[in-house]
Amino acid sequence: MQEFTDKEILSDGLSTEKATTEKFNSFANECVHDQVRTTMLHILEQEHSIQKDVFNMMHSRGFYETPAAESKKVKEAKQKFAESFQ
């Protein structure tokens, strides 16, 4: 019997949550009925919360490293997106 590591289990969970949020986002965008759309958006919000929890578990255990962004790149990204909304 194969045993999976915590990293493998959490990675699978994160991948599943990413796929799930993608699908519920599409479902919500394509709803004709307001009540169904509201329900889909509520589920999507819950799934994003789960995804955040799984990501935080991985990050805190060193399974998902996120290097600090260079301040120059942060400034460039802010400028790029600010221009997009003008």
Side-chain angles (χ1 to χ4, degrees):
M1 183 170 143
Q2 182 178 359
E3 290 188 31
F4 296 97
T5 65
D6 287 348
K7 182 177 181 178
E8 290 171 324
I9 293 167
L10 289 170
S11 292
D12 184 59
L14 186 60
S15 294
T16 299
E17 283 304 319
K18 287 179 179 181
T20 300
T21 55
E22 183 179 317
K23 293 296 181 187
F24 274 103
N25 190 55
S26 293
F27 298 157
N29 286 336
E30 296 173 3
C31 283
V32 174
H33 301 286
D34 288 340
Q35 282 185 312
V36 175
R37 179 177 166 77
T38 299
T39 300
M40 290 296 141
L41 289 172
H42 178 70
I43 294 169
L44 180 60
E45 184 180 346
Q46 290 175 323
E47 293 299 329
H48 273 292
S49 180
I50 294 167
Q51 182 178 346
K52 179 184 173 200
D53 291 344
V54 174
F55 170 81
N56 286 340
M57 278 190 260
M58 292 186 72
H59 189 264
S60 70
R61 295 178 184 188
F63 298 155
Y64 199 119
E65 294 187 31
T66 52
E70 298 173 25
S71 60
K72 179 183 175 187
K73 289 188 177 187
V74 171
K75 184 178 178 181
E76 289 171 357
K78 284 181 179 180
Q79 288 175 340
K80 177 183 174 183
F81 287 107
E83 292 168 3
S84 298
F85 291 106
Q86 291 180 1

